[in-house]
Every structure is written in structure tokens, then in C-alpha cells.
Amino acid sequence: MTDVTEETIALEQTEQSVQPSTRPQFGNRFLAAGDDVFQHNAWDNVEWDEVQEHAALEGVKKNSSVKMPEEEVARLEAEADQNWNRFYGIHQNRFFKDRHWLFTEFPELAPLKRAANVPERVLPDGETVKSMAEESASQVGSQRRTIFEIGCGVGNTVFPILKYSDEENLMVYASDFSRQAIDIMCESPEYDTKRCQAFVLDATADRWDVPFEENSIDIVVLIFVLSAIDPERMQHVLNQVARYLKPGGMVMLRDYGRYDLAQLRFKPGKCVKENFYVRGDGTLVYFFTQEDLRRLFTNAGLVEEQNIVDRRLQVNRGKLIKMYRVWVQVKFRKPID
């Protein structure tokens, strides 16, 4: 699966919640001995045995044995913006799906809602007071909440937040490396200029030109974005993220895990550097371990709150094919001094 189009389609069609207790569709689909693996399209938290782990390791060794020539790597870096613009120019927003699963994975992104029909509580002296729920709900309109997504694409994370939120003071900032993606997003009827501001940003740049101050963002979102950045520039990106987060703010990431199906399908000669590959359309992808992310985020001065691996077994019941997906998901918070 070296083409980003096929990979993204497969990903968006199967992404659901990691948490078994909160996942409505896949929460009870755990593969046990004697189960028919082709009974469902996907199974949750599938454990790998030593044989499978060894096979994955050998597969990566094989497809990493031949590195891409340096001059070819330099050409890809120079053409990175063209490749992403071409990708969005070809596909527009035809196959992208809104990531409603994000509200389950990251409840911090879920819209703040006003409570309806909350009765008043009457005290013994006859005075009426609001219930705690109503009192909290009355503050929704006055709260200022800022969300910043890096690598927003055509708005598949942003639009569900805007659609379901009635927060008057919500502001969602959205950036992408591709001018084409930002143009498509801004032309959507769902794009609300009162609550959203989208702009082009190269997150690897030494200095960021952004429409907000340092220490001002409540939540930063990175969804399958850090993996597209050269590993040598990842630390700089996260240092910048930490700079713009407000104390107590959180950064959330979901991305490709080591030995994911997409990594194992690469052919020799497509490896740029260790665990970093080029797809057929010229875009790049890295495959993380939990320790990779722990090191990057903690070096940026952030504190770990979640760091998990989601192993999913997907099956094609028609062709009797088994496909193992591996994703990583983390949450890190900026300390309050």
C-alpha cells in the first residue's frame, strides 16, 4: 500500500475508538481461540505472537535494505509542496470522510453543549438557584476555547467540531502545508469565518507566521501529520507546538505505528531513512513507536497523559485476506508553572 490515496481510504473507513468501553461498533470484537476470523470486518486490540513480531521485523529489514539515492531524496524535498498540491488537486474532497470518531478518541475535542430544560432548585427559604449543570451550561457562551489543527487537509477534523458545537467564542485555527488543501477547505459551505481561520503553514519552518500569540492555544491536534515530516525536523515542530500551547493546554496525536500494514508493504528502494519511506505519489511517511513519541514530546517539555498502541485486525471477507493495522495515540499536556 504505497499510494497515499489507497492508504487514506482504508484508514478513514476503519478508524474507530480505541477504548473498548466507549466504542459502539467494535467494542466487543476481541478475537479468541476458535473464533471465525472472517466473521467481522475488524477485530480490536489483537495481540501479536513472537512469530508475527519476528516476521514484521524481518519485513522491515528487507524493505529498508536498499535506501533511496540522496539526489532523489533531495528532489522529493524540493517538490514536497507540489506533490501535496497535486494530491489535493486530483482528489479534491471526494473520498475524505469527517472524523467523527475523534470525539470518542479525544473527548476534549467534543463540543461544549448547553444543557436544556434544567429545572431550578428551590432552597428552604424559597430562593431559587441554578443546578450545577445549568450553571456550567450558562458559562459556555462566555468561555473562550481555541483549537489549532496542524495538517488540517480539507477540514475533516475541523468541520465536525464546527458542526456540532454551539460555542459562541470557539475559534478553530487550521493550517496545512498545501495551498490547494486550504483553498478547498475555505470554499466549503461548512467553513465559518467567524469561528475558523485556515492558513498555509510549513510547520518545519524556523519561525511560524500564525494568527495567534504564544501560550494561547488550548488544544493542538496532529492527526496523521507528524509522520509526513522528516524525523530530523520533528523535534523542532513539537518545540513550536509547546511554545504556542497555553499552560495546562494539551496536544493530541494519532499516527502510524511501527510494523503497520502500510510499512510492511513498501518495496526495497522506497526507504529514505530508518522507518521513513516515500509513497508512490512522492509524499513521505514515518512509522512510530511509543518511545519515539515519548522522547519527542518530553524533550519539548510536555507531560505524558496517554501513550497507547492500537492494533487492529481488518479482514476482507470476500477475498479471505487478513490485514494488520498499527496506530499510536498520545496526549501530552503543557505544565502549569
Side-chain angles (χ1 to χ4, degrees):
M1 187 176 291
T2 57
D3 182 80
V4 68
T5 304
E6 295 178 7
E7 189 170 316
T8 307
I9 291 173
L11 175 66
E12 296 292 353
Q13 287 176 339
T14 58
E15 271 295 311
Q16 300 292 335
S17 166
V18 172
Q19 314 270 351
S21 61
T22 59
R23 184 188 303 165
Q25 289 182 305
F26 297 100
N28 297 314
R29 294 185 180 177
F30 299 104
L31 191 62
D35 285 341
D36 177 6
V37 70
F38 297 105
Q39 179 182 357
H40 298 297
N41 292 326
W43 298 88
D44 298 299
N45 301 327
V46 176
E47 296 293 332
W48 288 21
D49 58 25
E50 292 185 6
V51 174
Q52 188 170 1
E53 290 277 2
H54 179 74
L57 177 61
E58 291 301 312
V60 169
K61 285 183 179 179
K62 180 178 180 181
N63 68 24
S64 303
S65 60
V66 179
K67 295 292 192 297
M68 180 167 285
E70 292 185 5
E71 58 272 17
E72 182 67 11
V73 174
R75 183 185 66 81
L76 288 170
E77 292 176 349
E79 297 177 353
D81 57 341
Q82 300 176 36
N83 290 332
W84 281 111
N85 284 335
R86 186 181 304 112
F87 169 71
Y88 285 109
I90 292 172
H91 302 290
Q92 298 290 313
N93 60 353
R94 286 190 293 271
F95 71 78
F96 297 99
K97 296 184 178 182
D98 290 339
R99 294 161 169 164
H100 300 285
W101 53 266
L102 284 171
F103 297 147
T104 304
E105 299 292 355
F106 302 124
E108 298 85 354
L109 288 176
L112 298 178
K113 288 290 186 180
R114 288 182 172 83
N117 301 320
V118 179
E120 292 182 327
R121 182 162 55 92
V122 181
L123 298 179
D125 59 4
E127 182 182 357
T128 61
V129 297
K130 295 178 180 179
S131 70
M132 183 176 294
E134 186 180 8
E135 194 165 20
S136 298
S138 69
Q139 298 173 1
V140 170
S142 62
Q143 289 180 346
R144 169 74 170 175
R145 194 161 73 117
T146 54
I147 299 173
F148 176 35
E149 183 182 16
I150 302 173
C152 63
V154 295
N156 306 92
T157 296
V158 171
F159 289 148
I161 296 174
L162 296 177
K163 179 179 180 180
Y164 294 108
S165 172
D166 57 8
E167 301 164 70
E168 296 176 1
N169 290 328
L170 172 69
M171 176 53 70
V172 181
Y173 297 102
S175 74
D176 200 275
F177 183 60
S178 168
R179 164 59 63 184
Q180 187 76 18
I182 294 298
D183 288 344
I184 293 171
M185 180 178 177
C186 291
E187 291 169 1
S188 171
E190 298 173 285
Y191 183 67
D192 182 355
T193 56
K194 295 180 180 180
R195 298 191 300 157
C196 183
Q197 186 171 348
F199 55 95
V200 176
L201 174 68
D202 178 0
T204 67
D206 290 337
R207 296 181 63 86
W208 284 10
D209 182 13
V210 293
F212 45 80
E213 302 296 325
E214 296 181 6
N215 300 302
S216 66
I217 300 296
D218 292 294
I219 299 175
V220 174
V221 183
L222 295 161
I223 305 298
F224 298 96
V225 170
L226 195 63
S227 55
I229 294 172
D230 189 310
E232 296 181 8
R233 296 296 290 170
M234 289 179 183
Q235 189 64 65
H236 167 72
V237 172
L238 293 180
N239 290 346
Q240 290 290 86
V241 167
R243 181 191 301 271
Y244 286 95
L245 269 178
K246 66 172 54 173
M250 179 179 289
V251 56
M252 306 170 183
L253 172 147
R254 188 162 171 83
D255 221 316
Y256 296 102
R258 189 70 48 83
Y259 307 140
D260 178 63
L261 171 69
Q263 181 178 18
L264 299 180
R265 285 190 173 181
F266 279 106
K267 304 299 182 183
K270 294 295 184 179
C271 184
V272 177
K273 56 185 69 173
E274 190 174 1
N275 299 303
F276 192 47
Y277 302 81
V278 59
R279 299 185 180 96
D281 60 5
T283 59
L284 299 165
V285 59
Y286 183 86
F287 297 87
F288 293 98
T289 65
Q290 290 174 283
E291 188 52 42
D292 286 337
L293 294 171
R294 179 174 292 115
R295 171 178 48 81
L296 288 166
F297 280 89
T298 55
N299 284 348
L302 303 175
V303 178
E304 181 178 306
E305 292 201 354
Q306 183 189 67
N307 189 340
I308 60 176
V309 175
D310 176 16
R311 296 179 185 267
R312 188 80 49 78
L313 170 58
Q314 299 170 218
V315 302
N316 183 319
R317 290 188 282 178
K319 298 181 179 180
L320 301 182
I321 296 175
K322 293 188 287 186
M323 300 168 286
Y324 290 90
R325 304 307 307 262
V326 182
W327 297 300
V328 285
Q329 179 170 304
V330 303
K331 298 178 185 178
F332 281 77
R333 192 176 296 277
K334 185 172 182 176
I336 300 176
D337 297 329

